[in-house]
Amino acid sequence: MNLSEITLVVAAGGRSTRMGRDKRFLDLAGESLLARTLRKGLAAGFREIILAAEGETEELRAAAARFGARLAVDERPAQGPAAAIAAGLAATSSAWALVLSGDMPFYDFDLVRALLPEARGERQVVLPTLLGYSQPLAALYRKEAGAAFAAGIVRGDRKLGIILRELAVKELPLTVDAGLFFNVNTPAAYRLALGRIANERRAVPMLSVAAPASGTGKTTFIERLIPRLAAHGIRIAVIKSDAHGFRLDTEGKDTDRFTAAGAAAVAVSAPDGYFVLQKTPERQSLGDIASKIHSVDLYITESRSRGTFPILSLYRGKGEPLVDAQTAALFVKNATDGTSFSTVELPPEQEVLRADLDDLETAERIALFLMGRALYGTDGAMFLIM
């Protein structure tokens, strides 16, 4: 059995209570979250695609038509994913279907190939697990299993775990990047997703560290983060922004003499590397500077107020926290005045993932996620859940 023989059921209910708005149509670099899932599903080559939603709208009809999907509407509203599974499986024309949550923008459809050999015999569900956590909204279901979800809803049992107990389930542990199962279900998760997508479009990922005032600890934070990332084999270049200007070499050295003589740029090559000092009429963006550094896997920029998305914002009680559309996460130092990552107040539209300024383990995982690198920690599947 291969993908051309099974159906993709995209579960996209639409209530989005934790997001505060319809997450299906959140913009992800020019396309909606739902469109990204449908596009990737279409490219994977499924026999058919079913879009299972709580109700029918013009936007949903247009999305389904654009990607050659059929719309299946829940028979009873407000019943959660169980209703999407029941409606989607009832609508499929194939014996088996992959049921996938519509809010997993980084899911890799190649994972289905690991599940397909287990879809045999009397089994009704092939349920992937990751680090001990089951993934029922990224699982293979036999068409007939839909009846169990419909019956569960009727009797008031709509929790997937309860219904799955009634079915012949084959659990399949996976050792894959936990980020592939990342759900965009809160404003903070949305920011992280945007940051990862921004880096998908770059030849080399970028990560900025910024703070509203000097003395916050940006340099120390980066110094502590570098060895954690280097342990994953990641080669890092750090680019620092300095508002006061700098001199790279000491007075009297050749490079200084060339610069004093009027050279617009000075380069030095050595057996273990090189540097380039380039004069420009105005400040260059950190992204432009990064593009001139080669043979690295990650650019980290340090800046007081400027930065390239995604930004890790640091706060130690000085000034106001730097949180805007470019911010992916906020790290706050627990202070004697009661300031902590849980007490800093932000408006709902600026909500971000928060952690303590000394929590370098979380910083490491966020950096890996934003780079698109694999996460395998003991709770790596869950650490980004808001």
Side-chain angles (χ1 to χ4, degrees), residues 114-235:
L115 308 182
L116 288 174
E118 304 298 332
R120 51 188 169 82
E122 300 300 316
R123 294 169 180 169
Q124 296 170 295
V125 183
V126 180
L127 179 66
T129 65
L130 184 66
L131 303 170
Y133 296 96
S134 62
Q135 305 293 330
L137 291 177
L140 281 181
Y141 292 85
R142 192 184 291 274
K143 178 179 174 64
E144 290 75 14
F149 290 91
I153 291 171
V154 170
R155 66 172 183 266
D157 290 333
R158 59 180 184 145
K159 291 186 176 181
L160 303 187
I162 294 176
I163 299 171
L164 285 170
R165 294 174 194 162
E166 305 173 7
L167 297 168
V169 177
K170 167 62 178 179
E171 291 191 357
L172 185 65
L174 299 178
T175 304
V176 298
D177 175 10
L180 302 182
F181 295 94
F182 178 77
N183 295 102
V184 179
N185 50 24
T186 67
Y190 179 40
R191 285 174 175 266
L192 289 168
L194 289 174
R196 178 159 169 157
I197 289 173
N199 275 328
E200 284 181 348
R201 299 185 166 199
R202 294 173 175 141
V204 178
M206 296 190 69
L207 181 66
S208 296
V209 175
S214 60
T216 299
K218 298 188 302 296
T219 300
T220 300
F221 184 88
I222 294 172
E223 285 178 334
R224 297 172 67 191
L225 180 60
I226 287 173
R228 285 178 168 272
L229 298 178
H232 296 272
I234 297 170
R235 298 166 300 176

Side-chain angles (χ1 to χ4, degrees), residues 14 18 21 161 193 204 244 263 270 369:
R18 298 177 67 191
R21 51 178 167 153
V204 178
H244 305 292
F369 175 81

Side-chain angles (χ1 to χ4, degrees), residues 220-297:
T220 300
F221 184 88
I222 294 172
E223 285 178 334
R224 297 172 67 191
L225 180 60
I226 287 173
R228 285 178 168 272
L229 298 178
H232 296 272
I234 297 170
R235 298 166 300 176
I236 301 161
V238 178
I239 305 168
K240 180 179 176 63
S241 175
D242 193 326
H244 305 292
F246 69 96
R247 293 292 298 274
L248 187 61
D249 212 342
T250 56
E251 185 176 355
K253 294 294 185 180
D254 289 350
T255 52
D256 178 70
R257 293 169 62 184
F258 297 150
T259 301
V266 176
V268 175
S269 176
D272 57 350
Y274 68 93
F275 73 79
V276 176
L277 174 61
Q278 173 77 58
K279 288 185 176 180
T280 59
E282 58 187 20
R283 178 188 290 270
Q284 300 297 294
S285 74
L286 297 178
D288 288 340
I289 297 171
S291 68
K292 296 175 173 59
I293 302 174
H294 308 291
S295 301
V296 297
D297 304 308

